[in-house]
């Protein structure tokens, strides 16, 4: 479980205050060593609007050029993940759950996954977060993500040499540019922006998620994510679907749209000839 840090509530993000009073972002330990999620499973209601904060949907960037995202920018569902590469439960989610979500929902256009670097374990966390961003600038973020979250990877640490080795494993083509970008102002600014967004929501541990404005804390079981994604997709579809008229309304509408029969002229009135409209 991650360490807690003071919650920075950004002025003007009023919904964060609501979130702090309603939702716990504290990650919990798995029920057993082999468990896929935590002992405290997030409740997923049959009501797709339950636990959803519409204001938080705006945190999805939906930027087609975002190199730290997977899936269509216009996908009906967006999962935002706030995570640290030194977080063991983040690694478990990356290895066990995320690949299933990608295959089941990202590949068919239902889901978009947006990564947010949320380093909270000190200097190495900050360094590997910047490195992941730098790998993304060369189109290799998700390969770096996979290498950094491989079984046993975090136990080797994220020192300078180790990060360079991960970049090589991820197939980052320009090592010199990668090293420069990792220490550059742009990487620091990008990571800082992600951190501040997470703290503004009240996130104090990793992993934390938003799915179309619905918070989920911790590496929950796969079923929690699939049910939440499907409920969000259903809600998004309902919001866009046109109102279906009742059978009686449909009949009346169809009748109203039918061309009317020309009325017979009154007795004694001349019927219009073929040139009457000219």
């Amino acid at each position: 479980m991650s360490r807690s840090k003071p919650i920075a509530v950004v002025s003007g993000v009023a919904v964060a205050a609501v979130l702090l009073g309603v939702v716990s972002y504290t990650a919990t330990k798995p029920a057993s060593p082999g468990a896929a999620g935590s002992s405290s499973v997030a409740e997923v209601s049959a009501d797709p609007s339950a636990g959803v904060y519409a204001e938080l949907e705006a945190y999805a960037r939906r930027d087609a050029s975002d190199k730290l995202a997977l899936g269509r920018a216009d996908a009906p569902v967006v999962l935002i993940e706030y995570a640290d590469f030194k977080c063991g439960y983040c690694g478990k989610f990356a290895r066990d759950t995320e690949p299933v979500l990608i295959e089941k929902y990202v590949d068919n256009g239902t889901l978009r996954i947006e990564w947010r670097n949320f380093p909270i374990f000190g200097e190495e966390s900050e360094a590997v977060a910047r490195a992941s961003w730098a790998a993304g600038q060369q189109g290799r973020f998700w390969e770096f993500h996979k290498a950094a979250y491989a079984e046993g990877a975090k136990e080797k640490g994220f020192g300078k040499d180790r990060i360079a080795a991960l970049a090589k494993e991820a197939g980052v083509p320009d090592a010199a540019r990668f090293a420069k970008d990792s220490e550059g102002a742009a990487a620091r600014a990008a990571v800082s922006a992600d951190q501040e967004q997470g703290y503004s929501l009240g996130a104090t541990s990793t992993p934390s998620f938003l799915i179309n404005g619905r918070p989920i804390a911790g590496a929950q079981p796969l079923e929690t994510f699939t049910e939440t994604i499907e409920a969000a997709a259903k809600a998004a579809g309902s919001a866009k679907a046109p109102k279906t008229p009742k059978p009686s309304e449909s009949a009346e509408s169809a009748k109203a749209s039918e061309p009317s029969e020309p009325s017979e002229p009154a007795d004694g009135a001349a019927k219009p000839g073929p040139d009457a409209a000219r």
Side-chain angles (χ1 to χ4, degrees):
M1 186 164 67
S2 65
R3 295 183 301 182
S4 295
K5 294 182 70 173
I7 297 170
V9 179
V10 176
S11 176
V13 187
V15 71
V18 176
L19 201 58
L20 293 175
V22 180
V23 181
S24 170
Y25 261 100
T26 305
T28 50
K29 293 184 179 181
S32 64
S38 73
S39 58
S40 177
V41 179
E43 294 183 4
V44 179
S45 169
D47 178 359
S49 66
V52 174
Y53 298 80
E55 299 90 337
L56 298 185
E57 290 192 52
Y59 281 75
R61 292 169 183 160
R62 292 187 177 276
D63 180 357
S65 65
D66 186 351
K67 295 177 171 59
L68 277 61
L70 275 179
R72 291 169 39 183
D74 63 348
V77 183
V78 179
L79 180 154
I80 305 173
E81 178 185 3
Y82 299 86
D84 185 320
F85 285 103
K86 291 194 72 175
C87 163
Y89 297 113
C90 300
K92 189 166 187 60
F93 173 81
R95 292 189 301 272
D96 299 346
T97 304
E98 198 163 40
V100 179
L101 301 182
I102 291 170
E103 182 178 358
K104 188 170 184 178
Y105 300 111
V106 175
D107 290 350
N108 71 8
T110 299
L111 179 68
R112 175 177 175 82
I113 298 176
E114 295 188 355
W115 171 269
R116 302 287 187 269
N117 274 304
F118 196 57
I120 56 178
F121 288 110
E123 291 183 7
E124 282 199 354
S125 288
E126 296 272 355
V128 70
R130 294 194 304 271
S132 74
W133 181 90
Q137 302 317 293
Q138 298 188 50
R140 307 301 289 179
F141 170 78
W142 291 100
E143 291 79 5
F144 186 94
H145 172 278
K146 182 178 180 179
Y149 275 139
E151 191 74 54
K154 84 178 184 71
E155 283 73 21
K156 297 177 182 179
F158 294 110
K160 189 173 182 179
D161 291 343
R162 178 63 183 148
I163 286 175
L166 288 172
K168 183 176 181 180
E169 183 180 343
V172 176
D174 189 334
R177 178 190 168 189
F178 169 79
K180 182 179 179 180
D181 286 349
S182 294
E183 297 301 325
R188 294 177 187 277
V191 171
S192 178
D194 285 354
Q195 279 182 309
E196 289 307 311
Q197 186 182 91
Y199 286 132
S200 77
L201 294 168
T204 59
S205 59
T206 53
S208 291
F209 306 88
L210 287 177
I211 299 179
N212 276 22
R214 183 173 192 167
I216 291 180
Q220 299 288 342
L222 174 63
E223 292 74 15
T224 297
F225 290 95
T226 58
E227 289 175 23
T228 304
I229 290 166
E230 289 176 12
K234 181 179 179 181
S238 297
K240 294 178 181 179
K243 177 185 175 183
T244 302
K246 296 177 181 178
S248 58
E249 294 175 340
S250 298
E252 290 176 6
S253 175
K255 184 177 180 181
S257 64
E258 289 178 359
S260 58
E261 291 291 333
S263 58
E264 287 290 335
D267 290 342
K271 293 185 180 180
D275 297 328
R278 294 183 184 176

